[in-house]
Amino acid sequence: MKGFYGEFGGQFVAETLIPVLDELDKSFELLKCDKDFNDKLNDLLKNYAGRPTPIYYAENMSKKYGCKVYFKREDLLHTGAHKINNSLGQALLAKKMGKKRIIAETGAGQHGVATATVAALLNLKCTVYMGSIDAKRQSMNVKRMKMLGAEVKVVDEGTKTLKDAVSAALREWVSSCNTTHYVLGSALGPYPFPKIVSHFQSVIGKESREYFENLGIMPDYIIACVGGGSNAIGVFKGFLDVESVRLVGVEAGGISDKDGEHAARMSFGKKGIFQGSLSYVLTDKSGQISNVHSVSAGLDYAGVGPEHSFLKEIKRCEYHYARDKEALDGCLELCKLEGILPALESSHAVGYFIKNASKFKDKTILINLSGRGDKDLEIILENMEGTI
Ligand SMILES: Cc1ncc(COP(=O)(O)O)c(C=O)c1O
């Protein structure tokens, strides 16, 4: 069925948005095969954003843990995270569709910064919605967005985090969709967004596949953190057809398994409709969307992209979680062993690897380093006082 991954996905939105989503789908399908569009996008990805990103063999970490660990360095991209891949693609799409303005939601601020950046580049007006808790814990990114000329609308409702920013952006889009494109930041929401975002992020998997093909080997495992799911789907896409490669998504395990203290949708969630699509979602005893918690603003979300739910259902990908503490430990270990400060989101993938290192003995592992950790310094220092 169009717009579904198995039973997941769909378009569960206000009726007024259906024609807008259909128009977006049509434009995307035309442009994704258009030579001029792809030439422009590829030029910007290369010369503006810094693609291809390197794959780094982490010798110190490999020695310590008795396996071969590689990192895909999305943290080296302009603006510091994989989010720029999608923002560039969607902003170009918006321009081609004749839109003059873009809006976005952001949790960790990286998608907001990436969207504000491409708006400046392409001369588009830009508004970014951000929950007030996220705006406080990622205040440097709020300042960056404002410097880039974007308007930042702080959302002081609900849990004051990513979910409320997505709701506010969707609400605004209903009334402004004639002039405005909503640059959704992850592989979630109503169709065709999961498809569009995963297409623009698939460059991560494509480059990774080429790298390992050139080496003449395939990784045994690929590990990526999962917030909405865009960096993970981007890297997984390059290997879905290689059965020997095990694909591991790592969610935020927060501080405990208790409802409200984590964001592990795949482990504790139920199938449900949330923010435009059917997927796994965390709900409380009365069926309301649960409060969620993660030390990283980018993983602090009650839903997950529908394609991930499908990949879990068909058992092509496995999903686990790392606790806040394990992510913080992973972050510090990568700093100390390799001189790389990862984003707290990416640190969940690193933390999961370290906690389960014995399982990976003698294996080849690719960890997707979705972003760099400068934005998280204060949170890391607050949480690790005395250990640094
Ligand atoms: C660096 C980084 N990694 C990962 C994520 C999670 O998003 P996604 O699951 O869409 O990759 C975010 C979200 O803000 C992020 O900033």
Side-chain angles (χ1 to χ4, degrees):
M1 208 175 358
K2 181 176 163 246
F4 282 85
Y5 304 87
E7 66 183 296
F8 301 102
Q11 290 181 325
F12 298 92
V13 289
E15 239 170 80
T16 40
L17 275 185
I18 302 284
V20 184
L21 293 168
D22 287 348
E23 184 207 351
L24 177 61
D25 192 21
K26 266 193 215 129
S27 307
F28 170 70
E29 284 300 325
L30 275 179
L31 284 169
K32 84 171 193 210
C33 310
D34 182 89
K35 187 173 177 312
D36 287 348
F37 178 81
N38 285 317
D39 285 351
K40 178 83 183 153
L41 177 59
N42 290 335
D43 175 59
L44 288 174
L45 285 172
K46 180 170 176 225
N47 298 310
Y48 186 72
R51 301 213 73 87
T53 58
I55 289 186
Y56 166 67
Y57 175 61
E59 200 173 333
N60 298 334
M61 195 169 250
S62 298
K63 260 194 202 137
K64 177 162 175 185
Y65 292 102
C67 50
K68 291 197 172 97
V69 188
Y70 293 82
F71 287 102
K72 179 66 170 154
R73 300 291 311 272
E74 296 295 293
D75 60 315
L76 294 180
L77 283 170
H78 180 41
T79 70
H82 68 295
K83 298 285 180 186
I84 191 98
N85 304 324
N86 171 51
S87 296
L88 269 174
Q90 283 204 50
L92 278 180
L93 184 59
K95 270 232 114 74
K96 290 275 184 192
M97 290 174 72
K99 309 285 176 182
K100 303 273 181 269
R101 175 173 173 260
I102 51 181
I103 58 172
E105 86 297 334
T106 197
Q110 290 305 104
H111 174 58
V113 168
T115 305
T117 298
V118 301
L121 176 75
L122 300 174
N123 193 23
L124 289 159
K125 278 190 165 168
C126 179
T127 301
V128 180
Y129 290 87
M130 190 170 194
S132 56
I133 289 180
D134 291 340
K136 198 164 164 219
R137 62 177 160 172
Q138 300 289 349
S139 61
M140 192 175 69
N141 275 341
V142 175
K143 289 177 194 142
R144 284 170 80 187
M145 287 184 263
K146 287 184 176 164
M147 272 193 75
L148 290 157
E151 175 194 24
V152 180
K153 284 202 174 160
V154 174
V155 182
D156 219 1
E157 288 160 19
T159 53
K160 304 173 184 176
T161 57
L162 184 58
K163 138 176 150 342
D164 309 287
V166 174
S167 294
L170 274 171
R171 241 187 346 259
E172 201 237 82
W173 199 37
V174 173
S175 56
S176 66
C177 53
N178 286 339
T179 54
T180 302
H181 171 65
Y182 176 16
V183 182
L184 218 162
S186 192
L188 48 84
Y191 177 85
F193 280 111
K195 177 179 73 173
I196 292 175
V197 178
S198 112
H199 173 79
F200 289 132
Q201 292 296 358
S202 65
V203 64
I204 309 173
K206 196 165 158 258
E207 289 172 7
S208 303
R209 174 79 173 256
E210 271 168 26
Y211 177 88
F212 281 100
E213 276 177 352
N214 285 338
L215 275 189
I217 56 167
M218 277 290 138
D220 297 300
Y221 288 89
I222 297 180
I223 308 176
C225 68
V226 182
S230 70
N231 85 90
I233 206 71
V235 70
F236 290 173
K237 273 224 144 167
F239 300 86
L240 282 176
D241 62 329
V242 191
E243 267 176 41
S244 65
V245 182
R246 291 178 67 172
L247 305 170
V248 183
V250 183
E251 300 184 295
I255 50 176
S256 86
D257 286 357
K258 252 174 71 186
D259 188 34
E261 297 195 340
H262 61 81
R265 294 82 28 120
M266 297 300 199
S267 298
F268 304 107
K270 290 200 183 98
K271 291 173 193 176
I273 292 166
F274 178 53
Q275 301 200 313
S277 64
L278 193 149
S279 194
Y280 278 96
V281 59
L282 287 166
T283 49
D284 63 19
K285 281 190 198 109
S286 51
Q288 300 296 315
I289 300 301
S290 292
N291 288 340
V292 283
H293 161 83
S294 170
V295 70
S296 68
L299 305 188
D300 199 352
Y301 183 63
V304 63
E307 196 171 358
H308 284 291
S309 294
F310 173 65
L311 292 169
K312 169 187 156 71
E313 202 86 341
I314 62 166
K315 299 192 167 54
R316 177 62 190 96
C317 300
E318 50 193 284
Y319 295 86
H320 304 283
Y321 57 79
R323 297 268 189 235
D324 287 355
K325 171 81 172 64
E326 289 158 359
L328 288 158
D329 288 344
C331 176
L332 208 58
E333 182 80 337
L334 191 51
C335 283
K336 297 240 155 103
L337 279 180
E338 302 288 348
I340 297 172
L341 169 60
L344 277 179
E345 289 78 14
S346 326
S347 299
H348 282 72
V350 183
Y352 172 79
F353 161 74
I354 290 172
K355 190 183 175 203
N356 297 283
S358 58
K359 166 173 148 182
F360 299 115
K361 198 130 190 69
D362 298 327
K363 303 285 186 207
T364 299
I365 300 107
L366 175 69
I367 301 176
N368 195 38
L369 219 53
S370 53
R372 67 172 189 244
D374 311 36
K375 69 182 175 61
D376 297 319
L377 263 189
E378 270 178 41
I379 302 169
I380 296 166
L381 294 173
E382 248 169 52
N383 280 278
M384 303 209 82
E385 231 185 296
T387 48
I388 298 179

